[in-house]
Amino acid sequence: MSDKKEFVKELTNMDEDFASWYTDIILKAELVDYAPVKGFMVIRPYGYAIWENIQSVLDKKFKETGHTNAYFPLLIPESLLNKEKEHVEGFAPEVAWVTHGGSNELGERLCIRPTSETIISTMYSKWVKSYRDLPVLINQWANVVRWEKTTRPFLRTAEFLWQEGHTLHETSNEAEEETIRMLNIYADVFENYLAIPVIKGRKSDKEKFAGAVATYTIEAMMHDGKALQSGTSHFFGDGFAKAFDIKYQGRDGKEAYPFQTSWGVSTRSIGGIIMTHGDERGLKLPPRIAPIQVVIVPFAQHKDGVLDKVEEIRKTLSANYRVEADIRDYQTPGYKCNHWELRGVPVRVEIGPKDIEQGQCILFRRDTCEKEIVSLDNIEKRVGELLEEIQANMLEMARQNRINKTKTAHNLDEYLKIFEEADGFVKMMWCGERNCEDKLKELTSATIRCIPFEEEHLGDTCCVCGKAAKHMVYTGKQY
Ligand SMILES: [Zn+2]
């Protein structure tokens, strides 16, 4: 027991200092480490294994909806970046440049991709000639670099990993359908795999992607009430096609420009998992994306038959689950339990000589930290049920947190009072004017997260200016 107290003490209290708690978790659970270049992160094997699981779920869904993967270059000539005015203005402040090849200065600066619309559009202009070439449904798994001033591992780093889908369509309707289709896939993966409930909606014009006609988003609420923009899907109209001269011969024989989309989810999602589910003992991983779903911790492992039994259980469970047996002989069982709790493994099997005698073992579930005794004959079935229960319960706990921290404001006084008390989502009516949006940010640093697809009618007037309201919006402070 003394083991555990010592260990937990090493984590900052999450209610006192959520940011330090977050840093403690990512370092101590060995998800990332800081890199020699400021703002960059090293993703360690345990962190990368989470990303691989998210990747494989997304990749499967992209392929099921007709997309294929390709790879485009890391470097983009400056002239390409400059072709779409709003896009370059949006990204220029955070672009990293390559100016030399060896010791020779380059004739044209090359930017390290902050996103790939420009280079991909350039290639599409070569590939698309006829309506028969449409739709183009390509995704790329890649890294991008954005020279951010303030960084935090997973949430905002100078380099991050992501996927970016880039599609071309014959009609505006088709492209808009694609934008929503991909947003729905993101929402499905976040809710049903990452156990993070999200609100689907559209960004305000101020918050939309540089160069997009419309940006759709899934917004999640973290444990501390702050918002995390978790995935975005953009509809470009034919703006990029015109800027990059992507032209094709239409069904009527006339020249036409295709309609374009792009959509992305990044390693930021791992930050979302940590901040949605973690607790005072550490990380909690949803079973469907946990690199290790079950860990077996033996007690008195030097006693006859214990390690044999552990190996037998490991083999049985490994048929269907990702299992590891912690048989390190230089660590105590107490240390091991803490070690795996910190790393968020959903189920722990504890077994010692007495349990073996009685044909049973103990199952510990990380989501509620409860224990139960199960007969060894029934272990495979019960572990399977438990993983499903944990997955569902984690989504429910996150949903409950969001319900508790979502408030409604009808006027500015109410709005300010809510944020004085605590962070969270505030639902309000909005006139649609930029002035009111700016004022909200000035007063509280909270921004409009989205205009939800499912708007509620909370009143007839704008919460800020009192004029006629156009939309209901969610606001919140963002990561
Ligand atoms: Zn207003």
Side-chain angles (χ1 to χ4, degrees):
M1 271 317 278
S2 66
D3 261 3
K4 181 169 281 175
K5 275 182 192 150
E6 283 303 305
F7 202 78
V8 169
K9 244 199 288 184
E10 290 177 28
L11 285 182
T12 307
N13 184 313
M14 69 191 302
D15 295 321
E16 282 167 18
D17 184 352
F18 195 67
S20 301
W21 169 86
Y22 178 80
T23 308
D24 283 352
I25 300 265
I26 55 170
L27 294 176
K28 288 180 201 292
E30 298 179 334
L31 301 177
V32 296
D33 206 346
Y34 296 109
V37 181
K38 191 172 172 287
F40 285 72
M41 64 173 168
V42 176
I43 307 178
R44 300 184 69 174
Y46 194 55
Y48 199 79
I50 299 172
W51 178 238
E52 284 181 312
N53 288 341
I54 297 171
Q55 240 185 336
S56 81
V57 173
L58 283 170
D59 201 64
K60 186 160 175 275
K61 290 185 186 287
F62 297 160
K63 285 172 180 160
E64 281 167 2
T65 43
H67 303 84
T68 48
N69 289 329
Y71 187 77
F72 297 84
L74 172 71
L75 300 179
I76 302 173
E78 184 168 19
S79 54
L80 291 192
L81 196 67
N82 289 338
K83 277 193 178 177
E84 215 285 340
K85 195 173 148 281
E86 282 175 31
H87 187 69
V88 68
E89 278 171 9
F91 281 100
E94 53 191 42
V95 161
W97 295 100
V98 174
T99 56
H100 287 72
S103 54
N104 299 324
E105 191 171 343
L106 301 173
E108 180 180 9
R109 293 199 294 177
L110 305 173
C111 97
I112 301 177
R113 64 180 162 223
T115 178
S116 301
E117 277 74 12
T118 56
I119 190 136
I120 291 178
S121 295
T122 302
M123 299 318 295
Y124 284 177
S125 74
K126 286 169 76 174
W127 299 345
V128 175
K129 296 294 169 208
S130 149
Y131 68 88
R132 294 184 190 91
D133 298 327
L134 298 173
V136 176
L137 305 171
I138 290 178
N139 175 63
Q140 128 164 306
W141 290 97
N143 57 340
V144 290
V145 168
R146 296 178 187 176
W147 216 263
E148 303 269 6
K149 286 191 196 82
T150 49
T151 57
R152 192 182 294 178
F154 292 127
L155 300 177
R156 199 170 288 277
T157 44
E159 181 191 24
F160 57 86
L161 306 183
W162 76 347
Q163 57 70 216
E164 46 180 324
H166 295 269
T167 69
L168 292 178
H169 307 265
E170 216 176 327
T171 66
S172 178
N173 270 349
E174 267 180 51
E176 285 208 70
E177 275 171 23
E178 166 81 0
T179 320
I180 301 301
R181 181 181 306 119
M182 301 325 284
L183 192 80
N184 284 333
I185 285 180
Y186 290 159
D188 170 26
V189 170
F190 267 73
E191 299 208 335
N192 296 315
Y193 293 82
L194 278 54
I196 300 177
V198 293
I199 290 163
K200 292 188 275 189
R202 183 162 59 82
K203 285 285 181 192
S204 67
D205 282 348
K206 181 187 175 185
E207 302 283 339
K208 74 185 182 189
F209 184 79
V213 171
T215 287
Y216 300 95
T217 179
I218 50 170
E219 298 286 327
M221 185 196 279
M222 303 295 99
H223 177 80
D224 64 348
K226 291 209 179 78
L228 190 74
Q229 177 180 301
S230 303
T232 47
S233 185
H234 316 290
F235 171 63
F236 288 114
D238 57 5
F240 269 81
K242 283 180 173 156
F244 286 85
D245 209 31
I246 311 174
K247 275 185 294 203
Y248 69 95
Q249 196 176 43
R251 289 171 197 274
D252 55 4
K254 285 184 192 153
E255 197 168 77
Y257 293 101
F259 295 85
Q260 199 162 349
T261 83
S262 80
W263 26 274
V265 156
S266 75
T267 36
R268 169 170 251 231
S269 52
I270 299 173
I273 294 168
I274 300 165
M275 293 194 301
T276 301
H277 303 302
D279 66 8
E280 69 281 356
R281 295 192 193 191
L283 201 58
K284 271 187 204 175
L285 294 176
R288 288 189 188 153
I289 54 97
I292 301 167
Q293 295 171 309
V294 183
V295 65
I296 308 167
V297 173
F299 282 65
Q301 68 180 57
H302 58 282
K303 294 255 172 84
D304 262 0
V306 173
L307 286 181
D308 290 341
K309 198 46 132 184
V310 166
E311 179 53 16
E312 193 186 311
I313 295 171
R314 194 195 63 78
K315 265 199 180 144
T316 308
L317 294 179
S318 291
N320 291 308
Y321 314 109
R322 299 185 283 272
V323 186
E324 192 156 311
D326 188 349
I327 55 168
R328 291 178 286 179
D329 58 6
Y330 55 91
Q331 295 293 8
T332 64
Y335 177 92
K336 291 176 188 176
C337 290
N338 292 331
H339 177 92
W340 296 111
E341 282 172 25
L342 172 67
R343 281 160 182 75
V345 173
V347 172
R348 181 171 75 232
V349 178
E350 299 176 2
I351 187 157
K354 275 213 183 105
D355 301 307
I356 296 171
E357 241 171 60
Q358 291 167 5
Q360 66 183 38
C361 66
I362 291 168
L363 297 182
F364 168 88
R365 55 186 289 179
R366 179 65 184 89
D367 61 334
T368 58
C369 294
E370 289 165 352
K371 287 183 178 185
E372 65 181 68
I373 294 169
V374 66
S375 134
L376 287 174
D377 301 331
N378 196 34
I379 187 170
E380 202 179 351
K381 180 165 170 281
R382 184 58 195 141
V383 163
E385 289 166 357
L386 203 48
L387 289 170
E388 286 303 310
E389 283 171 31
I390 294 169
Q391 182 76 36
N393 184 48
M394 286 178 71
L395 177 63
E396 193 43 44
M397 284 165 81
R399 211 186 285 283
Q400 207 52 54
N401 180 55
R402 190 179 75 187
I403 291 170
N404 294 343
K405 292 177 178 158
T406 300
K407 306 268 154 56
T408 300
H410 300 92
N411 56 56
L412 204 50
D413 284 345
E414 278 181 24
Y415 185 85
L416 295 175
K417 199 155 172 271
I418 292 169
F419 277 110
E420 261 169 40
E421 279 163 20
D423 289 338
F425 284 166
V426 176
K427 299 190 285 189
M428 54 164 257
M429 300 306 289
W430 176 46
C431 60
E433 294 298 322
R434 174 74 182 260
N435 280 348
C436 290
E437 193 177 3
D438 288 342
K439 193 166 179 187
L440 287 177
K441 187 169 187 185
E442 230 176 79
L443 292 171
T444 60
S445 83
T447 50
I448 293 181
R449 304 314 311 153
C450 70
I451 302 158
F453 290 163
E454 289 166 26
E455 290 185 42
E456 297 166 51
H457 183 79
L458 309 169
D460 298 318
T461 57
C462 173
C463 173
V464 185
C465 68
K467 288 181 193 154
K470 275 201 185 124
H471 290 293
M472 177 221 145
V473 294
Y474 279 92
T475 70
K477 293 180 189 169
Q478 67 166 326
Y479 273 101

